[in-house]
Amino acid sequence: MNTPSEPGHDRTEPGLSTVVGERRQLINLAYRLLGSLAEAEDAVQETYARWYAMAPGRRADIVSPGAWLTTVATRVCLDLLGSARVRRERYVGEWIPEPLPDRTEWIGGPGGGREEPADPADWVTLDESVNMALLVVLEAMTPAERVAFVLHDVFRYPFPEVAGIVGRTPAACRQLASSARRRVRAAQVPTAPRAGQAALVRHFKEAWEAGDIAALVGLLAPDAAMAADGGGTVGTALRPVVGGERIARYLIHFAGRAPGLTLLERTVNGRPGLVARYAGVTATVAAFDVDGERVTRIWAVRNPEKLRPWTEDRPLPR
């Protein structure tokens, strides 16, 4: 972050388009660091607030506005990660990262009636660095590990630059990223091609709709686990449900309590997933991890505050 302040400088202040043009990159970075679109928006807003709080002369002295904004956004996220760990310890039930739809699928987006992208969800690049399995692993890291890994392994910042951003030595940042990488490798399972994932999720949807417990069990790994996030505002399992048969019975019971539940195949964080809609409102967004033949993990988000891009602004049934 280069902010020399010398009398008589002759540089002009960076143009609005140059500064605002960094917003997409900042949203992408903040979402991966925080696992929450709402918190990412807040972090980026705070970053821009700090930019415009500076005197015009100081802004003109900054050689690379993009580097300055990235540094500040990362440090804001680091602060938020520290406080978020405390908040999530008090969270009711499981805390799951906020799911994002494909840009053509989110409510009100380009596929939903608007010609120009306006929602931050449409700014997030849905690649493998935002699949739910990886975001859940990132949640288990220390804030420093998470930042070092995301900056270096995802955004390809060299370690000297990472060090300058987080205020540690390059060697320390290298160690943090290495530790984070080991966590990621330990949690990885073989993944089927996208077409295979989509077919498996489709079969899962059909079995769920048919109330076929045996078929669901056959599609689930014996040691499969399902975590659900209701945030204490909607009913859901407060602890992970483990075991293929237990998950199958739970899902059939859930559907039985909501006659008329509609299941839709949707892209969730870049991978095939399901959306459950009840009375015209999105009630659940489910992300899946598969090993090629069976479902190994399900993350079901029901907290209405995390479903903004998926639903209209109406209350969900309890």
Side-chain angles (χ1 to χ4, degrees):
M1 185 165 60
N2 192 355
T3 58
S5 180
E6 297 176 359
H9 66 78
D10 56 4
R11 283 195 295 272
T12 58
E13 183 179 351
L16 180 63
S17 61
T18 300
V19 176
V20 174
E22 298 291 332
R23 179 173 171 78
R24 178 169 188 161
Q25 174 81 350
L26 297 177
I27 287 285
N28 271 278
L29 173 64
Y31 175 72
R32 286 159 175 80
L33 290 178
L34 300 171
S36 164
L37 181 60
E39 291 181 359
E41 292 179 67
D42 289 343
V44 173
Q45 182 176 344
E46 172 63 20
T47 299
Y48 278 107
R50 295 186 187 186
W51 170 266
Y52 287 109
M54 289 190 297
R58 287 195 62 195
R59 292 199 295 266
D61 282 337
I62 295 175
V63 175
S64 173
W68 189 96
L69 291 166
T70 297
T71 298
V72 173
T74 301
R75 291 175 179 173
V76 170
C77 288
L78 263 173
D79 290 341
L80 288 173
L81 282 171
S83 59
R85 291 172 74 88
V86 176
R87 292 198 309 275
R88 289 167 193 173
E89 288 175 359
R90 300 193 298 264
Y91 195 78
V92 178
E94 296 289 311
W95 191 95
I96 297 174
E98 187 175 338
L100 291 183
D102 183 79
R103 68 185 301 272
T104 62
E105 296 172 351
W106 56 274
I107 299 297
R114 276 205 295 264
E115 294 183 358
E116 296 295 331
D119 193 288
D122 193 49
W123 292 59
V124 178
T125 303
L126 298 179
D127 56 25
E128 279 303 299
S129 66
V130 293
N131 75 72
M132 192 61 74
L134 178 57
L135 289 179
V136 169
V137 175
L138 290 177
E139 279 297 312
M141 297 179 185
T142 67
E145 283 178 329
R146 186 167 185 165
V147 169
F149 177 83
V150 170
L151 284 175
H152 180 266
D153 286 47
V154 177
F155 288 90
R156 302 302 177 188
Y157 281 81
F159 283 119
E161 289 188 29
V162 176
I165 291 172
V166 301
R168 301 201 182 198
T169 66
C173 292
R174 189 175 289 107
Q175 289 181 341
L176 288 167
S178 177
S179 174
R181 217 172 289 125
R182 286 194 296 272
R183 290 177 184 257
V184 172
R185 285 196 297 265
Q188 283 180 332
V189 297
T191 303
R194 183 181 175 84
Q197 296 177 44
L200 186 56
V201 170
R202 183 173 301 116
H203 294 324
F204 193 92
K205 167 182 174 289
E206 292 168 352
W208 191 1
E209 288 175 327
D212 191 335
I213 291 180
L216 282 174
V217 172
L219 294 168
L220 287 156
D223 60 348
M226 182 186 74
D229 178 342
T233 60
V234 294
T236 193
L238 297 180
R239 295 180 178 83
V241 181
V242 180
E245 184 169 350
R246 291 186 64 196
I247 294 172
R249 293 189 180 282
Y250 178 89
L251 292 174
I252 297 301
H253 174 73
F254 176 82
R257 294 178 58 189
L261 191 73
T262 301
L263 299 177
L264 304 171
E265 296 175 52
R266 292 290 185 265
T267 301
V268 182
N269 284 63
R271 288 186 178 181
L274 292 178
V275 169
R277 290 179 65 82
Y278 181 76
V281 178
T282 297
T284 305
V285 173
F288 293 79
D289 205 10
V290 303
D291 65 4
E293 298 180 354
R294 292 185 176 186
V295 174
T296 57
R297 294 290 183 274
I298 302 173
W299 296 278
V301 179
R302 300 203 67 222
N303 185 343
E305 294 183 1
K306 296 184 178 183
L307 300 180
R308 292 178 305 148
W310 302 86
T311 189
E312 297 176 5
D313 188 17
R314 285 184 288 170
L316 297 175
R318 287 188 176 272

